[in-house]
Amino acid sequence: MKFTNDHYSRGDSFMFKPIKSWEQAHEELGSIEVTMSDSSLSSMAQPFGITESIDQSLGMCTEDLFIDMCERQHDYVSPRTYTPDASYIPYRRYLVDWMSDVGEQCDLHTTTVHVSILFLDKIFRSRDVPRSHWQLMATACLSIAAKYEEAEENCPPIPDLLRLTKLRDAGHTSLTFREGEVEVLRHLGWKLRAVPPLHVLGYFLSKGAVFYEDTWQGRTLIEKIPKYIKKYADFFCNLTLQEYSFQQYLPTHLAAAILLSSRVALQIMPRWRPELTLLTGYEETEISGAFKHVWSYYEEQFPGHGARSISPRSVVQKDFLSQA
């Protein structure tokens, strides 16, 4: 049930495809809903903590957005482009930490930082960038990602970026920085729609990632469980961003594995459900390898945490997250 290019062939990849309104999608799905048996509908568990359909509140069919992400995810991350022997890989962790710190100081959304790092990875794995240009390229990637992902008023001005990153002290001006941005855009082929797992998980969580029939540590779910799931999902996304080896998985594949990791970390049972297979497009067996990779890296970075019960509050604490 995995989403593939064959499943969602695009034809003209640059053709604009408007998002269907929720009403249109509902009408199109009407005939399908009628053919479903009552027993099939009754066997599906209801999402826990979802009080209103995201499709209704936004007035659109959000599944179209997910389909679009499935189609575009190959542009930046795929097993085909995975290059673990790229020359910058030994230094990548430092670049990721530095870009994350700059993004935090600029009050950028976490998703913006994740997208900017996908930009940098795509450029660095395909060409040899002199180390003297690394800081400029990394900052330009952040700036471009902000312009694409953020509201205009949240985009950091170039003079502020030059001062914050000390590029100004290295002799860069607004003009040379803009030249750096243009260089990044050319390397990216002007295709800026990058899909990190964090984007995919946003869709999964909006649809519901825990269900009324689930249990938490053998007990009935409590009201804050959906928030805890989100905190763990964000944590695992930030954790896996640091390690390039996770780019051997498609973003939808890794996002599903992170969702499974979040449920396991919270001791939610069952670990995986048919409803999650329907939502993500993956059976548990299909993501077991990626899940084991995520979980082993988690235990490596936080020895002992994975082997014992962690309070959901601990994943929210800044000192816990700051170690990632």
Side-chain angles (χ1 to χ4, degrees), residues 78-183:
S78 75
R80 178 177 52 82
T81 60
Y82 178 58
T83 315
D85 58 350
S87 60
Y88 81 103
I89 295 299
Y91 311 97
R92 182 182 178 277
R93 174 69 178 267
Y94 301 103
L95 287 167
V96 170
D97 289 345
W98 184 81
M99 292 173 73
S100 299
D101 184 55
V102 173
E104 183 178 350
Q105 293 185 59
C106 291
D107 293 323
L108 299 178
H109 290 99
T110 305
T111 52
T112 301
V113 175
H114 282 232
V115 166
S116 71
I117 292 168
L118 289 186
F119 287 171
L120 191 75
D121 279 326
K122 183 170 185 177
I123 294 170
F124 277 38
R125 69 170 174 254
S126 60
R127 50 186 45 82
D128 189 15
V129 179
R131 290 194 193 181
S132 59
H133 290 173
W134 283 11
Q135 189 178 14
L136 174 62
M137 297 293 280
T139 309
C141 285
L142 274 169
S143 179
I144 292 170
K147 291 172 182 176
Y148 191 82
E149 297 284 328
E150 304 269 350
E152 183 177 357
E153 59 270 19
N154 293 339
C155 296
I158 290 178
D160 292 352
L161 279 175
L162 293 177
R163 182 178 62 255
L164 177 64
T165 60
K166 301 188 185 305
L167 283 171
R168 186 175 62 182
D169 297 343
H172 285 287
T173 65
S174 294
L175 179 60
T176 60
F177 185 79
R178 288 194 182 279
E179 291 172 350
E181 287 184 314
V182 172
E183 185 179 357

Side-chain angles (χ1 to χ4, degrees), residues 216-244:
W216 168 53
Q217 298 180 356
R219 295 171 286 174
T220 304
L221 299 183
I222 61 174
E223 183 181 352
K224 292 183 178 180
I225 285 295
K227 292 182 180 179
Y228 294 155
I229 282 284
K230 184 180 186 309
K231 291 295 183 182
Y232 267 110
D234 289 346
F235 166 72
F236 282 120
C237 278
N238 289 329
L239 187 67
T240 55
L241 181 69
Q242 299 172 347
E243 175 56 48
Y244 181 75

Side-chain angles (χ1 to χ4, degrees), residues 45-50 52 54 201-211 214 226 229 259 263 273 275-276 279-280:
Q46 294 300 308
F48 180 83
I50 303 296
E52 183 181 9
I54 187 70
L201 277 159
Y203 171 78
F204 291 163
L205 296 175
S206 73
K207 291 291 188 177
V210 288
F211 301 84
D214 288 336
I229 282 284
L259 180 55
R263 288 174 61 92
R273 309 182 56 95
E275 293 83 0
L276 293 174
L279 172 66
T280 66

